[in-house]
Amino acid sequence: MVDVSNSKGGTVLVSIQPVSSDLLPPQPNIEEGWDIVAEDGGAQTDEPTTPRAERKEIQDKEKEDHYGFIVRPGDDQLHYDATDDAKKVREREQKWLKMITNWKDWSDNKSTRLKERCRKGIPDSLRGRAWMLLSGANELMEQNAGVFEELVSREDNDVVIHVIDKDLARTFPSHVLFAEKGSQGQRDLRLVLKAYAFYNEKTGYCQAMAPVAATLLMHMPANQAFWCLVQICEQYLPGYYSPGLHAFQIDALILKDLLAKQLPVVAQFLDSKLPPTNPNEVHKGLDPVLYCTEWFMSIFSRSLPWRSVLRVWDMFFFEGVKVLFKVALAIMSLSFSKPKQREECPGFFEVTQKLRNLPLSVTHEGILLPEILRFPIHNQELKKFHFQQADVHFSEERARIMEMQARRSQARKSFSTLSEATSEGPD
């Protein structure tokens, strides 16, 4: 049971943790927009207002896909309808209904079969209920009845809410739940993010939480989405959204280790793309932070076709963080294993552009999922890498802090010497 004693009481100050601009790669120009919200709340854009007749003509060409995304011409890569056989879907629904009805027995005694079924995909109609059970969010919600309602009833913290409100317009603007300003989806998203900022005062609000919370809201009501978000932030990805993003940075280093072990040719290729700028600098190769920040922190919700996203999340809720590493390895394997693929990316720019604009030949569920399952990663192995990289990361962090302190000390000495020389004046 998560201790929520700090979540009760009056209005408190909470921290806001935007994803550091030093860590985030430039956002790809995809159809979902990510408009910058102006100070007055309106969308800030350089484009002229579209005439009403032209806007209606555009809307007439749009359609809504199986998952609620508004599909425009040219969007086929990111949105495609479900084409599963109806009979097979009903059979899977019946299997999952039986599991949900007897959940304790399945989770305690039949975990291997449950994992297999999560890997095959949870039926759309039952996905929200299954995620709540797999994550333990349902138990947490029952144990803390009324907490979510108390958190959202608190007086807004103006600083936090201002940042959240700006992010609402950037979060899945092509989904019907969030397309309109002030829609029910946007209101629910605001409540979930506000509640978490009060619930975990130390972490507060991080901008990368928004697409994660929005994905949950596509499958469940706001109160359930909140407790699922709590589990993701504090059980599945602890420390990912905390100040400094230290846990994520350690996982980025672990990904580099896994690449070297499981895809040595690809790892060597990536390392060759970023030579040191300083001849005395140790060559560390292409830092995974440059390409996996959005992948990991949004749990791939902004990087893959939606059907692939859902399959990844189905596995993630059962198997945990190692799924993120397996997906990243699969993407790297499908993108750079063949000599011709490597030849097409002669430099750093071409590599990063390819990873930010992944083709459907890499991300389609029928291609990506089998590749994901090809990579064995064991929890014991992850723990070993984690301890190794945590030591490296914090040693480097300590060295960086000491270097900064030394520079500041030297700057103070130089300033003091200059001041003394000035005060003495000319002879």
Side-chain angles (χ1 to χ4, degrees):
M1 176 175 176
V2 174
D3 181 9
V4 297
S5 58
N6 290 334
S7 299
K8 298 180 180 180
T11 302
V12 292
L13 291 176
V14 292
S15 59
I16 307 168
Q17 303 302 332
V19 177
S20 169
S21 58
D22 295 332
L23 296 177
L24 275 175
Q27 296 293 345
N29 182 24
I30 61 176
E31 91 297 345
E32 289 183 349
W34 289 64
D35 291 334
I36 303 300
V37 178
E39 292 298 319
D40 61 1
Q44 187 177 14
T45 175
D46 295 331
E47 296 297 323
T49 305
T50 307
R52 181 175 299 176
E54 183 179 345
R55 189 162 63 245
K56 185 179 186 305
E57 183 181 348
I58 293 172
Q59 291 171 345
D60 289 343
K61 295 179 181 178
E62 296 173 348
K63 64 176 182 177
E64 181 183 328
D65 75 1
H66 177 76
Y67 299 102
F69 286 94
I70 300 166
V71 184
R72 301 178 179 89
D75 285 356
D76 292 344
Q77 174 169 326
L78 293 178
H79 308 293
Y80 53 91
D81 277 323
T83 55
D84 297 327
D85 178 77
K87 182 181 178 181
K88 187 179 293 185
V89 169
R90 284 195 295 272
E91 289 175 354
R92 288 172 52 240
E93 284 176 338
Q94 290 300 317
K95 289 179 181 179
W96 273 91
L97 278 170
K98 289 179 181 178
M99 286 196 299
I100 289 172
T101 305
N102 302 283
W103 187 255
K104 182 168 177 51
D105 178 46
W106 275 89
S107 59
D108 291 347
N109 305 315
K110 303 175 183 178
S111 59
T112 301
R113 289 179 64 191
L114 181 56
K115 178 172 73 173
E116 290 174 357
R117 290 186 179 179
C118 287
R119 288 181 170 186
K120 290 179 180 179
I122 301 170
D124 295 334
S125 60
L126 299 170
R127 182 167 276 118
R129 292 171 65 183
W131 285 357
M132 286 287 289
L133 290 165
L134 287 165
S135 66
N138 62 318
E139 292 183 16
L140 197 60
M141 185 172 66
E142 291 172 3
Q143 293 165 355
N144 296 284
V147 171
F148 173 70
E149 291 74 15
E150 187 273 325
L151 291 170
V152 299
S153 69
R154 293 187 186 183
E155 182 180 349
D156 289 349
N157 179 300
D158 290 341
V159 177
V160 176
I161 287 298
H162 175 69
V163 178
I164 289 175
D165 285 345
K166 288 176 69 174
D167 289 340
L168 295 180
R170 318 174 198 210
T171 306
F172 296 121
S174 66
H175 193 279
V176 291
L177 273 179
F178 311 105
E180 296 292 330
K181 183 179 178 180
S183 64
Q184 184 63 51
Q186 285 200 1
R187 293 198 299 273
D188 285 346
L189 181 58
R190 186 180 194 266
L191 291 177
V192 170
L193 297 174
K194 169 189 170 180
Y196 188 80
F198 279 116
Y199 177 84
N200 187 332
E201 300 158 16
K202 185 176 180 181
T203 297
Y205 169 63
C206 173
Q207 291 170 326
M209 293 175 184
V212 175
T215 301
L216 295 170
L217 285 168
M218 295 178 198
H219 297 88
M220 60 189 73
N223 61 331
Q224 294 180 10
F226 167 73
W227 290 111
C228 234
L229 179 66
V230 168
Q231 290 295 79
I232 288 172
C233 294
E234 303 189 7
Q235 300 297 323
Y236 287 84
L237 304 174
Y240 260 51
Y241 307 105
S242 298
L245 313 178
H246 292 303
F248 159 71
Q249 292 187 64
I250 291 170
D251 278 359
L253 294 172
I254 292 173
L255 175 59
K256 191 175 179 67
D257 286 341
L258 289 169
L259 275 167
K261 179 180 178 181
Q262 302 210 27
L263 293 170
V265 174
V266 174
Q268 186 177 6
F269 166 75
L270 293 174
D271 283 349
S272 70
K273 297 304 152 186
L274 194 62
T277 55
N278 186 330
N280 298 320
E281 180 184 341
V282 177
H283 181 33
K284 297 181 180 179
L286 185 64
D287 190 342
V289 166
L290 293 171
Y291 56 81
C292 76
T293 301
E294 187 175 65
W295 292 358
F296 279 31
M297 295 198 68
S298 70
I299 318 177
F300 290 93
S301 62
R302 292 200 48 82
S303 309
L304 301 175
W306 201 246
R307 282 174 64 83
S308 298
V309 170
L310 296 178
R311 295 290 300 277
V312 168
W313 279 54
D314 291 346
M315 292 189 294
F316 171 77
F317 274 115
F318 185 90
E319 300 180 52
V321 69
K322 69 179 179 181
V323 170
L324 303 187
F325 295 107
K326 294 172 73 141
V327 177
L329 290 172
I331 289 173
M332 290 302 187
S333 175
L334 291 168
S335 298
F336 301 117
S337 287
K338 298 177 181 178
K340 184 177 180 181
Q341 293 172 323
R342 298 193 292 273
E343 290 171 5
E344 292 171 348
C345 298
F348 167 78
F349 176 78
E350 291 83 3
V351 170
T352 53
Q353 282 298 106
K354 184 170 186 176
L355 293 175
R356 291 170 188 160
N357 300 277
L358 296 167
L360 199 58
S361 59
V362 170
T363 60
H364 190 285
E365 61 171 331
I367 300 169
L368 182 63
L369 268 293
E371 191 70 10
I372 291 171
L373 299 178
R374 195 171 69 83
F375 290 97
I377 298 179
H378 305 291
N379 291 332
Q380 209 58 32
E381 181 182 29
L382 281 184
K383 286 181 181 179
K384 176 184 174 183
F385 280 135
H386 178 84
F387 286 125
Q388 290 173 347
Q389 292 298 352
D391 287 342
V392 171
H393 175 76
F394 289 116
S395 295
E396 290 178 348
E397 186 69 11
R398 281 194 297 270
R400 186 184 67 82
I401 292 171
M402 290 175 67
E403 182 182 358
M404 287 177 59
Q405 290 173 340
R407 287 179 179 177
R408 287 173 181 168
S409 177
Q410 183 61 41
R412 282 195 296 268
K413 288 179 181 178
S414 299
F415 180 77
S416 177
T417 303
L418 179 63
S419 298
E420 290 174 3
T422 305
S423 63
E424 290 176 2
D427 292 336

